[in-house]
Amino acid sequence: MRNLPPLTMLRVFEEVAHHRSFNRAADALNVTQGAVSRQIKQLEEYLGISLFLRTPRGLTLTESGSALAPHLSEAFDQMERALQAVRVPNLRQRLRILAPPTWSARWLSPRLRTFLQRYPDISLSVTNHLDGETAGELDCRIRFGLEQAVHCHSELLVMERHIAVASPELFDGEQAPELNAHPLLHILHEGRRLRVWENWLEAMGRNDVDADSGIEFSTLDQVIHTALAGGGLAVIDRQMIERELAAGSLLPITPVEVIGPYGYWLDIAAERKGLSKVQRFQDWLGLVSNP
């Protein structure tokens, strides 16, 4: 097995070395400047050296960075030529993804434009249901869970970041609603209630609220829509309600935020790991998940 860092790091380094700018490299890669900076930092930690000097006039390559850059560019050129030599002309690849419906609608969809701009030769098929006929065609899976899957490549994308929210109509001016005055909204996962309220109340040091009371829903979207309508209070992963928080249609009850314990994982079967379309999606997810 080759001892190489993720190709994403090397691709980002090549782009920064070319532009001598994190911002211009980020624009070229359709990611944030923070994502580029993070990838460079991880590559420098992997190599144990500095690749760039930060000066008032901008970035310059170190001696090691100058030695590495042309070799990487040549390697990427050779890879591109080899792939183009065997690739069917104008072939569009279809990437089939299994993902939770709320994650797809609220996290993936707002970010997909950058993926499609970057990889116009890939067509996407995103579904939340798998049957026997299509199981063999699946390329990768986004899974909501506590830990890595076994017998496949499994990596954490993002941890949940829970906050308690309510509709503005339940606030009295700037005064947040009392927790005991409104129904608590709960989400079920695989038939069991997630303990998001218990974890949040523990972080708040509140033992005067009955976390067992309230209304249960089978999907997170039902919880969100009920909260938007003023039907109760909800503890929700803030990454799933970015638009509502920005618009002010849902307001945090307090600034307290609870990380995890659940998160979203990318699972790739061993026989799919080497496919270019899967690798591209994996690299892109790594960038947009850690801006």
Side-chain angles (χ1 to χ4, degrees), residues 22-23 26 31-41 287 290-291:
F22 283 0
N23 285 330
V31 298
T32 66
Q33 187 271 341
V36 168
S37 178
R38 176 177 171 275
Q39 292 292 319
I40 294 299
K41 182 175 184 295
L287 291 172
N290 300 279

Side-chain angles (χ1 to χ4, degrees), residues 40-259:
I40 294 299
K41 182 175 184 295
Q42 289 181 344
L43 181 58
E44 290 178 329
E45 290 175 350
Y46 173 85
L47 296 172
I49 58 174
S50 294
L51 295 170
F52 296 96
L53 295 174
R54 284 76 168 175
T55 70
R57 300 184 64 180
L59 289 179
T60 60
L61 286 162
T62 63
E63 183 177 348
S64 297
S66 295
L68 178 62
H71 291 297
L72 274 185
S73 293
E74 180 181 354
F76 279 122
D77 287 344
Q78 290 179 345
M79 289 170 60
E80 186 176 20
R81 287 194 294 268
L83 292 170
Q84 291 299 327
V86 299
R87 185 174 184 271
V88 176
N90 301 319
L91 175 67
R92 290 185 65 84
Q93 302 181 76
R94 179 164 294 279
L95 179 67
R96 294 173 172 83
I97 305 162
L98 178 69
T102 302
W103 183 88
S104 298
R106 292 183 166 271
W107 194 94
L108 181 63
S109 293
R111 294 167 171 82
L112 270 183
R113 183 168 63 93
T114 63
F115 179 82
L116 298 175
Q117 288 174 338
R118 189 172 181 183
Y119 302 117
D121 58 330
I122 296 180
S123 298
L124 287 175
S125 176
V126 183
T127 180
N128 66 349
H129 176 69
L130 192 64
D131 57 40
E133 294 183 0
T134 60
E137 300 177 355
L138 186 67
D139 292 307
C140 55
R141 174 176 68 148
I142 306 298
R143 175 178 50 84
F144 177 73
L146 287 168
E147 57 191 4
Q148 285 182 309
V150 295
H151 307 308
C152 71
H153 172 85
S154 183
E155 64 182 67
L156 179 66
L157 296 177
V158 290
M159 292 293 288
E160 288 200 304
R161 298 166 52 196
H162 288 116
I163 58 173
V165 295
S167 166
E169 67 185 79
L170 300 187
F171 283 68
D172 183 7
E174 296 186 359
Q175 181 65 41
E178 286 292 333
L179 300 182
N180 287 311
H182 303 278
L184 305 186
L185 308 179
H186 300 276
I187 175 69
L188 298 174
H189 175 60
E190 296 179 346
R192 302 181 65 179
R193 182 185 291 185
L194 293 177
R195 293 179 55 83
V196 293
W197 268 110
E198 287 84 351
N199 294 339
W200 187 84
L201 289 168
E202 182 179 350
M204 284 285 292
R206 296 284 299 267
N207 56 13
D208 60 328
V209 179
D210 182 8
D212 290 330
S213 67
I215 311 170
E216 295 179 342
F217 295 93
S218 61
T219 70
L220 179 57
D221 259 334
Q222 291 172 308
V223 171
I224 293 172
H225 285 295
T226 303
L228 284 168
L233 313 179
V235 171
I236 302 174
D237 177 10
R238 70 179 307 135
Q239 297 160 113
M240 297 297 108
I241 51 172
E242 292 174 337
R243 288 172 296 179
E244 288 79 5
L245 292 173
S249 54
L250 286 176
L251 300 178
I253 294 174
T254 75
V256 172
E257 183 177 295
V258 177
I259 306 297

